[in-house]
Each structure stands twice: as C-alpha cells, then as structure tokens.
Amino acid sequence: MKWRNRRRSSNIDDRRGQRMKSGAKFSIGGIIMALIAIFVFKQDPMQVVSGMVGGQSSQSTSTEQTNYQPSAEEQDVYDFVSVVLADTEDTWTQIYRQSNAKYPHPTLVIYRDRTPTACGTGQAASGPFYCPADQKIYLDLSFLGELKRMGASGDFAVAYVLAHEVGHHIQTVTGISSKVRKAQSQTNNAGQNALQVKMELQADCLAGVWANQTQQRTQFLESGDLEEALSAAEAVGDDTLMKRAGVPPRRENFTHGSSKERMNWFKRGANTGLIGSCDTFNGVI
Ligand SMILES: [Zn+2]
C-alpha cells in the first residue's frame, strides 16, 4: 500500500504510555480460558473480558503515565495505521456525502496490554475490537505480530483488519448492530452465532468496499495488496482457527464465518465497491 507522506488521522488516542494501576488480576489459567473462548469459539471478546473482570471493572479504570519509548519499527507501524485510519475517514466521508449525510469519525485507541473501555477492560489478548458504547476501535500493536504468525503478512493485511473494525463502526452508527442484538435476544445459541457470522461477514464486505473506493480515489494499492487482505481473511476464518487449535470445526460454533466465506465477502465488496452488495442478512433482520 502506498502510504508514505500521506495524511495521518488525528482521531487517535495514543495510550501506549499508560499503565492500568489497579484492578482485577487475571490468573494465567483465566487468560488461557479467555483466549480459547475468543480464538476458538470466537466469542465476542468484550463479553469474555467483562465476564473475567466481573463487577470489579470500576476498580480497573485508574491509569498512570509511563515514559514509553516505542522502537522505530513500532512507530512505523503506528504511522501506517494512522494513514489507513485517515483513508477510512476520507472514503467513508465521501460515501456518506452521496446520501447527504455526515460520517461520524470513530476514535482509534492504540494501547498496550490493558486499557479501560466503555465495554469493560480491553485486553491485548482479545485482538482488535470495536466498542459500540464509546464508538472506539481498540488496537494493541502486538496483535499485528500475531497476525503474521497466523500466516497473514504484508501491510494490507493490517489495513484489512482495521477496515473490518471500521465496518463494525458503520454497522453501529447505521443501527444494523442494534437490530442484530435484538434479533439475537429472541433466538437460541446457534441462532445467535449465525447472526453474529452475518454481522462479521458484512464487516468484511464493508472492508472490501472501502478498499475499492479508496483505490478509485487515491490509487493506493500496490500489487499483492488484495492478496494480503485475503490471506488475512483466510487466517481469521473460524474453521482455520479451530483447526489450528485442534478443535473440530463445527458450523454451529462459528461466529465470524469460515475462511472461504470471509475471503468471498471481502472480495465481493472489493469487486463491486457497493454497500448494497454487502447484504449478508438477506432479509433476516
Ligand atoms: Zn469483527
């Protein structure tokens, strides 16, 4: 992705120098259980996190400032992410303008290890997530190394992950997320997961729409970029994650969609550039 010397977003809350002072201590066993819940069963990380913290989250909100010095390599990743966020702002602003609407910018919080959020204590172990209650995306940059270890390398793999989280923001501000939550409250566990899959696949498709429209606007893609996004979508598919964890992949436990589905929905958005092509719900909500 061509990104050097391009606009960087100012909607970033850099909390890398902040340390949470007190609060619930998690045992190693608890963290492993949470990781299994998140990566294997793809539970909503925030549900897992609030489950772990229980009623003690209010104790966990005080932070202290440390003198944090990122490496040059990490700062480069930070700068890259801030250009991707700016590209999501510019492209979604343009898309919203077509319907005479104003795009409400989300904030990207970059943190290390743990940070307070309106959805409970955010933890690096959760991977990147979007909290609808404060409309912020939370990212611990160490996840990007994890993504590489999962077989998704290249800068556009990172861009896809961020654009997917921005997709959840779009779903929140357009009211899709609350419709899904309502439908989920009226069905059983398998039905809830099926709805969650549709939601995640739509976020993948919206990431594809963003890639397409940003390309039209800025010609920012380099050869291999879309393949990098697809390899990331493949790496985070439920069947692939379950196989890696030694768990037999069962459809009813999927919450994000199979690797193939995730790749296909990203591709669909990237090929058409149209939000209308992202109706993963097809009348269900
Ligand atoms: Zn998601």
Side-chain angles (χ1 to χ4, degrees):
M1 175 179 146
K2 292 177 203 143
W3 66 276
R4 301 239 176 233
N5 303 314
R6 296 190 44 227
R7 185 176 87 79
R8 294 173 189 183
S9 172
S10 54
N11 293 309
I12 297 188
D13 179 358
D14 182 2
R15 296 188 192 165
R16 288 176 297 172
Q18 281 179 21
R19 278 270 166 271
M20 284 181 71
K21 271 201 281 199
S22 58
K25 293 268 183 289
F26 305 122
S27 68
I28 292 293
I31 291 169
I32 291 169
M33 287 306 290
L35 279 171
I36 291 171
I38 292 159
F39 285 111
V40 180
F41 300 107
K42 302 307 289 178
Q43 282 185 18
D44 180 347
M46 296 323 298
Q47 281 174 12
V48 176
V49 172
S50 49
M52 286 173 69
V53 178
Q56 302 172 58
S57 57
S58 61
Q59 293 173 13
S60 310
T61 49
S62 70
T63 55
E64 62 187 349
Q65 199 64 32
T66 63
N67 189 14
Y68 180 67
Q69 291 294 339
S71 66
E73 193 190 356
E74 186 192 307
Q75 197 52 39
D76 212 40
V77 174
Y78 180 98
D79 292 343
F80 171 76
V81 163
S82 65
V83 172
V84 174
L85 184 64
D87 268 338
T88 63
E89 291 166 349
D90 294 344
T91 297
W92 282 110
T93 294
Q94 192 182 53
I95 295 171
Y96 265 62
R97 203 178 288 140
Q98 287 157 9
S99 358
N100 286 323
K102 198 167 174 288
Y103 173 60
H105 293 189
T107 298
L108 173 63
V109 178
I110 297 186
Y111 72 103
R112 291 190 308 142
D113 304 330
R114 293 197 298 148
T115 197
T117 86
C119 300
T121 299
Q123 287 190 87
S126 314
F129 59 89
Y130 173 75
C131 170
D134 56 20
Q135 301 196 358
K136 291 179 183 174
I137 294 164
Y138 291 86
L139 174 68
D140 180 315
L141 295 176
S142 66
F143 172 77
L144 306 179
E146 186 56 38
L147 195 62
K148 243 183 227 168
R149 282 188 286 281
M150 288 175 356
S153 56
D155 59 7
F156 214 70
V158 176
Y160 154 76
V161 167
L162 190 56
H164 171 98
E165 298 306 331
V166 171
H168 286 315
H169 173 65
I170 304 285
Q171 290 172 320
T172 297
V173 295
T174 52
I176 291 171
S177 304
S178 56
K179 274 192 201 164
V180 171
R181 298 282 166 251
K182 192 163 174 252
Q184 282 179 321
S185 71
Q186 292 158 358
T187 181
N188 60 14
N189 208 1
Q192 288 168 8
N193 284 349
L195 284 162
Q196 193 61 36
V197 167
K198 291 179 197 302
M199 180 109 145
E200 295 296 335
L201 294 176
Q202 185 172 64
D204 284 335
C205 184
L206 293 173
V209 169
W210 165 78
N212 175 300
Q213 298 241 1
T214 309
Q215 174 66 359
Q216 289 185 40
R217 198 168 53 76
T218 67
Q219 300 290 308
F220 77 145
L221 292 177
E222 294 179 310
S223 81
D225 277 348
L226 289 178
E227 289 75 12
E228 286 170 8
L230 287 169
S231 76
E234 183 176 22
V236 294
D238 287 321
D239 50 343
T240 302
L241 290 170
M242 285 174 174
K243 273 183 217 149
R244 279 173 71 94
V247 176
R250 290 215 176 83
R251 180 88 219 168
E252 65 270 25
N253 294 332
F254 285 9
T255 52
H256 283 65
S258 69
S259 292
K260 202 168 173 201
E261 287 172 315
R262 299 200 70 168
M263 292 167 80
N264 282 344
W265 280 100
F266 174 81
K267 244 191 259 177
R268 191 194 284 227
N271 287 341
T272 64
L274 299 170
I275 301 172
S277 69
C278 297
D279 187 9
T280 54
F281 294 98
N282 197 19
V284 176
I285 60 158

